[in-house]
Amino acid sequence: MKLLKEELKENKLRPAYLFYGDEDYLRDYYINSIVSQMVTDPEFNYLKYNNQPYEPSDIAAFLDTPPLMSEKKVLVLKNTGLFKRPSASEKAFWAKAIADLPEYVVVLFSEQEVDKRSTLFKAVKDTYHVVEFPYQERHHLISWSDRVMRSVGGTIERKEIEYLLDLTGPSMLSLKNELDKLANYCGSRKVTTEDIDNLVSKSLDAKVFAMMDELVSGNISQAMETLSRLRLQKEQPVAIISLVFRQFSSLRKLKLLEGQCSLGEMAKRTGLREFVVKKYLSQLKGYPLERLNKIILACQRADHQIKSGKMEQWLALETLFVTCVHP
């Protein structure tokens, strides 16, 4: 990303870039920065496809035609799947196009997922530039949230930002939307935890985390109520199972690390915050390694049963929940 910033600052952009990763806010930010810097007349020198089909002949015509009254023209292709599962015709077309891009063109590919072994991925990486945009580290999100709030005249303390992050997850787009909402509501006064509770929409991650927290704490009836609410809210069972799997995988890592390293090192290796690690270590007494292994295998089985059509989705999830509750 550092090199990309330098190229933007010096106005020395390459003919092609592939942006990929979970953080779509940053991918869009740099795409918009390049477009605004390079394109003076969008009607003639800018073409964008966002999760939509395109004709290779239209792309070829755009690439082969020099910009009109401008030094550059920009082509943006978002969420095409080109770098994961391209068709044979797509692969052939882009392999040739990427190998022979004119200097007056900047092609921006933006994908959430890529196959780094693919021919097209290697072609862009070897010839031009590939930039990964993962979810940002928590400390970056905290400082960024503070800057966002101050930019609109609002005030939010670190403690409230931390609480907000627990509810929204690491997505900068979700976080930005909630910060805007809080800023509009609170104006210049300081944002409180009560404001966040009243206004912020919890992410699925946060809901499942709370449910697992209730379960691990032994509050089974409350965990069952949370599961019922998730069903009423029409959340996807496969997504919930994935999050449950991730949660118990972290617990298993803690179990294996227990007594082997410091609290900070355990937090680093599991991706959990230190206070969460400390809390879980006290709760893990009721979860021997054999039980954690059983639950993790049950998550994998439930996922397979749903995807193979062997069991109805919510029945598979409820069966998994029984395994989580009973040793």
Side-chain angles (χ1 to χ4, degrees), residues 31-40:
I31 285 174
N32 293 335
S33 296
I34 291 172
V35 170
S36 62
Q37 184 168 309
M38 294 290 105
V39 179
T40 55

Side-chain angles (χ1 to χ4, degrees), residues 69-83:
M69 300 180 68
S70 176
E71 293 185 4
K72 298 281 186 179
K73 59 193 314 187
V74 179
L75 170 64
V76 176
L77 296 108
K78 296 181 62 179
N79 306 316
T80 63
L82 280 172
F83 298 89

Side-chain angles (χ1 to χ4, degrees), residues 55 67 74 115 156 187 265 282:
E55 289 295 332
V74 179
D115 181 354
I156 185 169
E265 183 64 21
S282 66

Side-chain angles (χ1 to χ4, degrees), residues 204 208 227 230-231 234-245 299 302-303 306-307 311-318 320:
L204 178 59
V208 173
L227 182 64
L230 291 175
R231 183 167 189 172
K234 298 184 178 180
E235 299 287 2
Q236 293 300 310
V238 170
I240 297 173
I241 290 170
S242 175
L243 292 170
V244 173
F245 173 81
C299 289
D303 182 76
I306 292 174
K307 291 178 179 176
M311 189 177 288
E312 192 274 329
Q313 295 186 67
W314 278 99
L315 178 59
L317 177 55
E318 289 165 359
L320 168 62

Side-chain angles (χ1 to χ4, degrees), residues 211-212 215 224 227 231 237 240-241 244 248 291 294-306 310-327:
M211 182 178 71
M212 290 297 98
L215 183 63
M224 292 293 291
L227 182 64
R231 183 167 189 172
I240 297 173
I241 290 170
V244 173
F248 276 101
R291 186 181 176 191
K294 180 181 177 182
I295 292 172
I296 289 170
L297 288 173
C299 289
Q300 295 171 329
R301 183 167 58 251
D303 182 76
H304 173 71
Q305 287 172 329
I306 292 174
K310 293 181 179 179
M311 189 177 288
E312 192 274 329
Q313 295 186 67
W314 278 99
L315 178 59
L317 177 55
E318 289 165 359
T319 302
L320 168 62
F321 205 85
V322 171
T323 304
C324 294
V325 169
H326 298 290

Side-chain angles (χ1 to χ4, degrees), residues 33 44 60 63 98 119 131 139 159 184 284 292 294 300 322:
S33 296
F44 298 104
L63 296 177
I98 289 171
T119 303
V131 185
H139 65 277
K159 179 168 64 73
N184 288 333
L284 273 174
L292 294 172
K294 180 181 177 182
Q300 295 171 329
V322 171

